[in-house]
Amino acid sequence: AQSVTQLDSQVPVFEEAPVELRCNYSSSVSVYLFWYVQYPNQGLQLLLKYLSGSTLVESINGFEAEFNKSQTSFHLRKPSVHISDTAEYFCAVRNYGGSQGNLIFGKGTKLSVKP
Amino acid sequence: GAGVSQSPSNKVTEKGKDVELRCDPISGHTALYWYRQSLGQGLEFLIYFQGNSAPDKSGLPSDRFSAERTGGSVSTLTIQRTQQEDSAVYLCASSLDTSGARAYFGPGTRLTVL
């Protein structure tokens, strides 16, 4: 069975600083990888995903994540954060192929951007 | 509908009572997921449906929890003999299939067990 580990439960940063939210996964088969975001008092929504091809994927609001198969990681990065990026970020994994289509999430990382 | 809907949005119940939570997925979505979001626990997987069958029930916390899905659409999560530790936000999500398609989340049902 697959699992997702987000080591940092909270990440405080100052505005315009770079940030990296770490995600490691465990799976015996190939996977799809996702980052979801939950802004305060809002529902979960997809931020970006890796399915295949280029290992670097980007979102429209400046976040990027790189799939590293050897390290089983999918860390989320942004070179310069804004106050509006304050939210909780969840990494998720889904096996592809076979019947293991479940979508498993990490425990989340709360990003707090301070002025 | 335009998105995943859940009802009720809030439910307050007394310890020991049974509750039913409903999820209406996006039309045509074959995969449906139930999660529980508690303070400090992140997003906890409960159960996942592919069509009407549940290939993975491994996340159900106890035999007081059950879920069904009928007609490949609406799903109901039932919690029997509720306990205070069942208090949480219960989230439902659906996706087109079980490949790389994104999951769309509903607004959740906030359950409070007194």
Side-chain angles (χ1 to χ4, degrees):
Chain A
Q2 67 269 49
S3 66
V4 178
T5 302
Q6 291 181 248
L7 288 173
D8 306 306
S9 59
Q10 297 192 46
V11 175
V13 294
F14 287 105
E15 195 172 19
E16 299 183 4
V19 71
E20 178 181 82
L21 307 184
R22 294 180 293 169
C23 171
N24 287 89
Y25 69 92
S26 172
S27 176
S28 58
V29 298
S30 297
V31 297
Y32 299 117
L33 293 158
F34 307 81
W35 275 99
Y36 282 78
V37 59
Q38 188 172 32
Y39 296 103
N41 301 312
Q42 293 187 30
L44 275 153
Q45 54 187 291
L46 182 69
L47 183 63
L48 50 73
K49 63 181 180 180
Y50 169 78
L51 303 183
S52 65
S54 173
T55 56
L56 185 66
V57 291
E58 298 177 353
S59 72
I60 58 173
N61 58 351
F63 281 94
E64 63 179 31
E66 185 161 22
F67 169 54
N68 188 318
K69 188 174 182 179
S70 63
Q71 296 186 4
T72 59
S73 69
F74 191 55
H75 302 330
L76 183 69
R77 302 185 183 94
K78 189 170 185 180
S80 176
V81 293
H82 300 135
I83 299 285
S84 60
D85 293 325
T86 294
E88 189 160 16
Y89 294 79
F90 294 89
C91 182
V93 62
R94 177 191 279 145
N95 292 343
Y96 72 72
S99 62
Q100 296 298 315
N102 198 358
L103 184 63
I104 297 296
F105 285 82
K107 289 189 177 297
T109 298
K110 290 184 178 178
L111 175 65
S112 175
V113 182
K114 304 181 186 304
Chain B
V4 178
S5 60
Q6 291 185 247
S7 60
S9 55
N10 277 285
K11 176 72 177 179
V12 180
T13 189
E14 293 180 347
K15 178 181 173 181
K17 301 278 190 182
D18 298 351
V19 296
E20 278 191 359
L21 312 180
R22 177 186 167 107
C23 172
D24 281 273
I26 293 173
S27 178
H29 280 194
T30 60
L32 185 147
Y33 311 83
W34 282 100
Y35 299 91
R36 179 167 70 176
Q37 189 171 26
S38 310
L39 201 61
Q41 297 298 314
L43 209 57
E44 178 187 1
F45 164 74
L46 298 178
I47 188 169
Y48 137 73
F49 288 92
Q50 176 59 31
N52 290 336
S53 63
D56 192 343
K57 304 179 183 179
S58 63
L60 294 176
S62 73
D63 59 7
R64 296 186 295 105
F65 287 71
S66 63
E68 65 175 16
R69 188 180 185 194
T70 55
S73 181
V74 172
S75 176
T76 303
L77 177 70
T78 301
I79 310 173
Q80 296 178 310
R81 305 181 302 281
T82 52
Q83 305 294 312
Q84 288 184 333
E85 61 263 27
D86 299 335
S87 296
V89 176
Y90 289 81
L91 293 170
C92 175
S94 71
S95 66
L96 195 57
D97 55 31
T98 57
S99 65
R102 62 175 289 183
Y104 292 82
F105 280 81
T109 293
R110 182 174 296 279
L111 175 65
T112 303
V113 182
L114 302 176

